[in-house]
Amino acid sequence: MKVAVIRFPGSNCDQDAFHALNDMGLKAEYVWHDSGSLDGFDAAFVPGGFSYGDYLRCGAMAARSRIMGEVNRLAEAGCPVLGVCNGFQVLTEAGLLPGALMQNEHEKFLCQDVFLTTESDASWTREAKGKTLRIPIAHGEGRYIADAETLARVEGEGQVAFRYVENVNGSMNSIAGVVSPRGNVMGMMPHPERAASLRLGNTDGLVILRALELVRA
Amino acid sequence: MATVRIYVTLKPSLLDSAGRTVAGSLQKLGFSEVQGVRIGKMIEVQLTDATDDRINEMCDKLLANPVIEDYRYEVIA
């Protein structure tokens, strides 16, 4: 399976993703936001970082960059698209996922492990269901919000992918990640790619990354 | 040439955590009359021609996120 790791100016989790995916036996390749296409790719990973220096809003400029047309095309074709941290912000800004991410409730940049649970039957989380995962976060703007109607739909349609066991950033309904209506696009603030190696002390992220091979809408 | 000032503000129902911090600092400086602070952005754009349709389109497509923000603008010159 060939996974495109999208790089924007300011991406900084691209190498973590690249190595985690290749170590799993997938074929990850970097794709620069301003060139290249996603022809021949089966999935896209939008990594964390501070794309375009978070100018204007987190993910706003990246969401309008050239490559996002290609990511959109992949998503419409039913292929898996995963956005982590800044990648989650990019996917909400691009309209591929509902809601928005705002500054953490208590202003602090949070860099710590969190525990996540899921009750979703989406393919992204099927393997994680029933487990409590320990996954690191590193963000200042991870407070998930949506208007009442959107939130009700996200909850009602089983689009909540993950919740924080302890709501560290003030997210509505403790939401840490959501999936798209068709279920093939997922965004989450915690970093599964940083929890994918025994040598680094945590492999809880693997059940999430392995879902790349299961997701198909 | 025209200049447009676009004001982008958080929707009133949303918590502005940065604004809350600034309000706290003002109060610590002795401005006890401060009851709250909301922080927004002012974006000044130079245009060859200022038409409402095009300015609204810029705001809707990039400058404001309708999920969390409102905007208004004024043509100043």
Side-chain angles (χ1 to χ4, degrees), chain A residues 3-215:
Chain A
V3 187
V5 177
I6 313 292
R7 286 177 133 170
F8 300 103
S11 294
N12 65 12
C13 300
D14 43 343
Q15 293 186 50
D16 305 62
F18 178 87
H19 289 288
L21 296 170
N22 279 315
D23 287 352
M24 288 166 54
L26 305 180
K27 191 167 164 35
E29 278 180 29
Y30 295 121
V31 176
W32 182 240
H33 72 105
D34 205 21
S35 56
S37 87
L38 297 184
D39 282 349
F41 284 97
D42 308 296
F45 189 109
V46 187
F50 299 88
S51 58
Y52 291 89
D54 278 351
Y55 295 163
L56 200 60
R57 295 178 306 278
C58 301
M61 313 293 274
R64 277 89 183 163
S65 65
R66 194 185 147 280
I67 199 68
M68 289 309 291
E70 292 278 292
V71 172
N72 210 2
R73 187 175 57 75
L74 213 60
E76 279 181 15
C79 299
V81 174
L82 175 59
V84 168
C85 200
N86 189 220
F88 185 13
Q89 296 162 341
V90 171
L91 295 180
T92 57
E93 278 281 344
L96 283 164
L97 291 171
L101 284 313
M102 293 183 65
Q103 192 172 37
N104 296 342
E105 188 178 4
H106 298 293
E107 296 95 40
K108 280 188 187 129
F109 187 95
L110 297 169
C111 188
Q112 63 189 73
D113 280 351
V114 293
F115 290 97
L116 301 177
T117 57
T118 180
E119 67 260 39
S120 165
D121 287 314
S123 342
W124 275 112
T125 54
R126 204 171 294 148
E127 224 191 312
K129 205 170 174 182
K131 298 186 173 83
T132 299
L133 304 177
R134 179 170 62 94
I135 307 282
I137 56 167
H139 63 246
E141 282 157 313
R143 173 166 52 108
Y144 184 81
I145 70 108
D147 62 61
E149 190 188 326
T150 306
L151 190 65
R153 196 172 58 243
V154 165
E155 287 285 355
E157 302 291 323
Q159 284 177 249
V160 177
F162 291 102
R163 288 185 215 273
Y164 302 104
V165 172
E166 184 194 345
N167 192 358
V168 288
N169 56 20
S171 290
M172 285 182 170
N173 298 5
S174 302
I175 291 173
V178 295
V179 295
S180 61
R182 289 171 67 202
N184 59 313
V185 181
M186 180 166 79
M188 59 189 295
M189 291 311 297
H191 289 271
E193 80 284 3
R194 293 190 192 176
S197 163
L198 208 51
R199 277 174 294 174
L200 299 178
N202 188 349
T203 55
D204 281 10
L206 285 174
V207 294
I208 300 168
L209 298 178
R210 274 202 297 264
L212 274 163
E213 297 190 276
L214 308 171
V215 172

